[in-house]
């Protein structure tokens, strides 16, 4: 039997009591945000979230934006953005993975069906392509940046109502593919969802 290959940096082992996430399913509108906050969350993450945007008239017509439209353009600025988002949510890192499945990493990060809900952390599957050359060389290429990956999963989570609220005030955003395989789980303080909006919109100023 092949040995499970897990990135040693992607292991969470805090000893905190685990909870069953099925008991904490909760829609964003039922999480205790006030009406203005709910409006702000839905407006940004569903309708104006940073996406990979072409210059087509349809994208302009429906108000889609890119991180560049918000001023976050180029690697230095994107790295700065990632750092600010991490700090605002008390996250050590975003575990962003190019793989067919992130199931093992979710388990090693205690983000499976029973989780530690105390410590913020995030595991996300990044879109990528694989090209196999005639000499057998395999090349991987990202189809999205790390930050676009994050906001895509958040948008899907809220749009599909795959969200959780825990007793300590942390929330978890979950995304899945067409085969119902989990592609992201992001555990953050509830307030961070609002702080991230303000960082994207005004943080570069």
């Amino acid at each position: 039997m092949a040995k499970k290959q897990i990135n040693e940096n992607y292991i969470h082992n805090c000893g905190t009591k685990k909870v069953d996430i099925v008991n904490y399913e909760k829609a964003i509108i039922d999480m205790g945000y006030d009406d203005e906050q709910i409006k702000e969350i839905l407006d940004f993450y569903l309708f104006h979230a940073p996406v990979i945007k072409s210059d087509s008239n349809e994208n302009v017509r429906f108000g889609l934006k890119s991180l560049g439209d918000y001023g976050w353009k180029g690697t230095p600025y994107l790295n700065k953005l990632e750092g600010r988002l991490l700090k605002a949510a008390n996250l050590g890192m975003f575990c962003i993975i190019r793989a067919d499945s992130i199931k093992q990493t979710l388990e090693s990060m205690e983000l499976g069906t029973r989780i530690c809900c105390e410590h913020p952390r995030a595991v996300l599957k990044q879109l990528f392509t694989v090209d196999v050359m005639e000499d057998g060389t395999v090349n991987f290429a990202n189809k999205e940046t790390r930050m676009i990956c994050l906001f895509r999963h958040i948008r899907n989570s809220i749009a599909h109502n795959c969200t959780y609220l825990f007793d300590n005030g942390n929330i978890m955003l979950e995304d899945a593919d067409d085969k119902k395989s989990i592609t992201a789980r992001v555990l953050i303080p509830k307030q961070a969802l609002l702080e991230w909006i303000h960082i994207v919109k005004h943080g570069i100023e």
Side-chain angles (χ1 to χ4, degrees):
M1 180 180 292
K3 183 179 179 181
K4 290 183 178 180
Q5 299 295 318
I6 298 175
N7 187 321
E8 293 183 358
N9 295 317
Y10 298 163
I11 296 175
H12 183 77
N13 187 15
C14 66
T16 302
K17 182 180 178 180
K18 309 303 181 292
V19 299
D20 292 312
I21 64 174
V22 69
N23 297 323
Y24 296 91
E25 295 173 352
K26 187 82 68 174
I28 289 290
I29 61 172
D30 297 321
M31 288 186 176
Y33 295 109
D34 64 35
D35 290 345
E36 282 301 314
Q37 291 172 331
I38 291 172
K39 180 180 177 181
E40 185 177 14
I41 288 169
L42 298 182
D43 179 73
F44 178 78
Y45 289 108
L46 292 187
F47 306 120
H48 297 102
V51 296
I52 297 176
K53 189 187 76 169
S54 70
D55 293 326
S56 70
N57 289 332
E58 182 173 301
N59 276 334
V60 174
R61 176 185 170 194
F62 289 104
L64 298 181
K65 291 179 177 290
S66 68
L67 282 171
D69 292 330
Y70 287 109
W72 301 99
K73 193 172 186 178
T75 301
Y77 281 119
L78 291 175
N79 289 342
K80 182 180 292 186
L81 171 62
E82 182 167 347
R84 290 186 181 179
L85 298 181
L86 289 170
K87 183 177 181 180
N90 196 28
L91 284 162
M93 62 180 168
F94 293 113
C95 304
I96 298 178
I97 301 169
R98 296 183 303 185
D100 292 331
S101 170
I102 61 171
K103 182 178 179 180
Q104 290 183 20
T105 304
L106 287 170
E107 291 175 356
S108 68
M109 289 291 287
E110 294 188 355
L111 285 172
T113 54
R114 285 179 57 80
I115 75 167
C116 156
C117 65
E118 293 294 328
H119 305 106
R121 54 203 187 281
V123 178
L124 310 102
K125 180 179 175 182
Q126 187 176 25
L127 296 179
F128 66 100
T129 59
V130 180
D131 295 318
V132 181
M133 306 294 105
E134 289 187 48
D135 64 359
T137 302
V138 179
N139 295 323
F140 291 85
N142 294 332
K143 294 179 67 176
E144 60 186 355
T145 66
R146 291 170 60 85
M147 294 296 90
I148 291 298
C149 173
L150 171 66
F151 288 110
R152 173 175 61 83
H153 284 301
I154 293 176
R155 182 182 187 278
N156 291 345
S157 171
I158 295 174
H160 297 147
N161 209 27
C162 296
T163 52
Y164 304 80
L165 172 66
F166 300 98
D167 296 339
N168 58 11
N170 284 339
I171 65 173
M172 187 168 74
L173 307 165
E174 175 186 283
D175 192 14
D177 60 21
D178 294 339
K179 298 178 182 178
K180 306 302 180 184
S181 296
I182 303 301
T183 56
R185 279 190 175 145
V186 178
L187 180 70
I188 57 175
K190 188 175 78 169
Q191 187 63 22
L193 202 60
L194 292 166
E195 292 181 13
W196 282 2
I197 297 173
H198 301 156
I199 288 171
V200 172
K201 286 185 173 182
H202 308 295
I204 201 169
E205 297 176 354

